Amino acid sequence: KNQVEQSPQSLIILEGKNCTLQCNYTVSPFSNLRWYKQDTGRGPVSLTIMTFSENTKSNGRYTATLDADTKQSSLHITASQLSDSASYICVVTPLSGGYNKLIFGAGTRLAVHP
Amino acid sequence: DTAVSQTPKYLVTQMGNDKSIKCEQNLGHDTMYWYKQDSKKFLKIMFSYNNKELIINETVPNRFSPKSPDKAHLNLHINSLELGDSAVYFCASSQERLLYEQYFGPGTRLTVT
């Protein structure tokens, strides 16, 4: 079982609608939690980075939340656009272990339809 | 003015061959990485490297070796390619700090036949 689980695996929404993606993790203790956006055929692009003490972080229409007690994070996308169609990946960095211990979720594939 | 670039974008080769993927960053970052993304889309870090230290993921076979001629370049050399090496390989870079922002290259799709 992966230490970072994302749900749903895939999601289809209509343009203009909101959606929320979930990330549950078992990594503990951890240093930070990130959300990345990966367009098809491209490298991931960082959306938000939160330390264990932060509860929320926004980047435009993207808002990430973190509940360290329940080990859950969510990424909320407001007023979706066609360009939001991509995979969204949750990444947790353990407190110890250095760079080679980044733990990636499998991602949620989001499709925004007109 | 690409921040992190990789070449080639596609690489098709036969089992047993040796190949290299090149990576360059013009962001002035101290640390560079190689990631592997398999068919299930999981990204796994393979190496991180700065001019002080090479950190190797212990699950990476020693057929894979990073080579850094300078801090703007980190090339990935793969010996004796196997079918299971087929994947997309991403290079990335960042400053060496706690909440480092990573910048990824466009990826190299390696197909081993």
Side-chain angles (χ1 to χ4, degrees), chain A residues 34 38 46 99 101-102, chain B residues 35 37 45 58 96 100-101:
Chain A
R34 305 154 186 261
Q38 185 175 18
S46 180
Y99 300 128
K101 296 295 185 183
L102 290 172
Chain B
Y35 287 85
Q37 188 170 39
I45 191 164
E58 61 274 10
E96 188 181 14
Y100 52 93
E101 188 83 44

Side-chain angles (χ1 to χ4, degrees), chain A residues 2 4 31-32 34 36 38 41-47 49-51 54 87 89 93 97-107 109, chain B residues 9 31 33 35 37 40-46 48 50 55-58 90 94-107:
Chain A
N2 196 30
V4 178
S31 168
N32 60 75
R34 305 154 186 261
Y36 285 96
Q38 185 175 18
R42 306 286 293 272
V45 174
S46 180
L47 293 176
I49 304 175
M50 291 181 289
T51 67
E54 293 181 289
S87 287
I89 305 171
T93 306
Y99 300 128
N100 61 330
K101 296 295 185 183
L102 290 172
I103 302 172
F104 286 73
R109 180 168 294 277
Chain B
K9 187 165 177 63
T31 306
Y33 313 80
Y35 287 85
Q37 188 170 39
K40 295 182 180 179
K41 304 301 183 184
F42 273 103
L43 270 162
K44 292 183 180 178
I45 191 164
M46 302 174 69
S48 65
N50 63 19
I55 302 174
I56 300 173
N57 186 322
E58 61 274 10
F90 288 98
S94 71
Q95 293 285 12
E96 188 181 14
R97 55 184 174 88
L98 177 61
L99 295 179
Y100 52 93
E101 188 83 44
Q102 282 192 326
Y103 294 84
F104 284 79

Side-chain angles (χ1 to χ4, degrees), chain B residues 1-6 23-29 32 72 91-93 102-106:
Chain B
D1 56 353
T2 304
V4 182
S5 59
Q6 295 178 230
C23 178
E24 177 181 3
Q25 56 96 2
N26 62 6
L27 297 168
H29 287 163
M32 297 183 72
C91 177
S93 73
Q102 282 192 326
Y103 294 84
F104 284 79

Side-chain angles (χ1 to χ4, degrees), chain B residues 14-82:
Chain B
Q14 292 184 328
M15 286 175 54
N17 286 346
D18 302 339
K19 290 293 179 185
S20 291
I21 305 172
K22 296 185 177 180
C23 178
E24 177 181 3
Q25 56 96 2
N26 62 6
L27 297 168
H29 287 163
D30 296 322
T31 306
M32 297 183 72
Y33 313 80
W34 276 107
Y35 287 85
K36 178 181 181 182
Q37 188 170 39
D38 61 26
S39 57
K40 295 182 180 179
K41 304 301 183 184
F42 273 103
L43 270 162
K44 292 183 180 178
I45 191 164
M46 302 174 69
F47 306 100
S48 65
Y49 189 91
N50 63 19
N51 52 11
K52 303 171 189 173
E53 188 176 12
L54 170 64
I55 302 174
I56 300 173
N57 186 322
E58 61 274 10
T59 66
V60 176
N62 58 14
R63 298 182 294 102
F64 290 78
S65 57
K67 299 187 190 302
S68 181
D70 54 62
K71 78 172 195 176
H73 297 83
L74 182 65
N75 304 324
L76 182 64
H77 190 74
I78 315 170
N79 290 328
S80 303
L81 278 155
E82 300 177 358

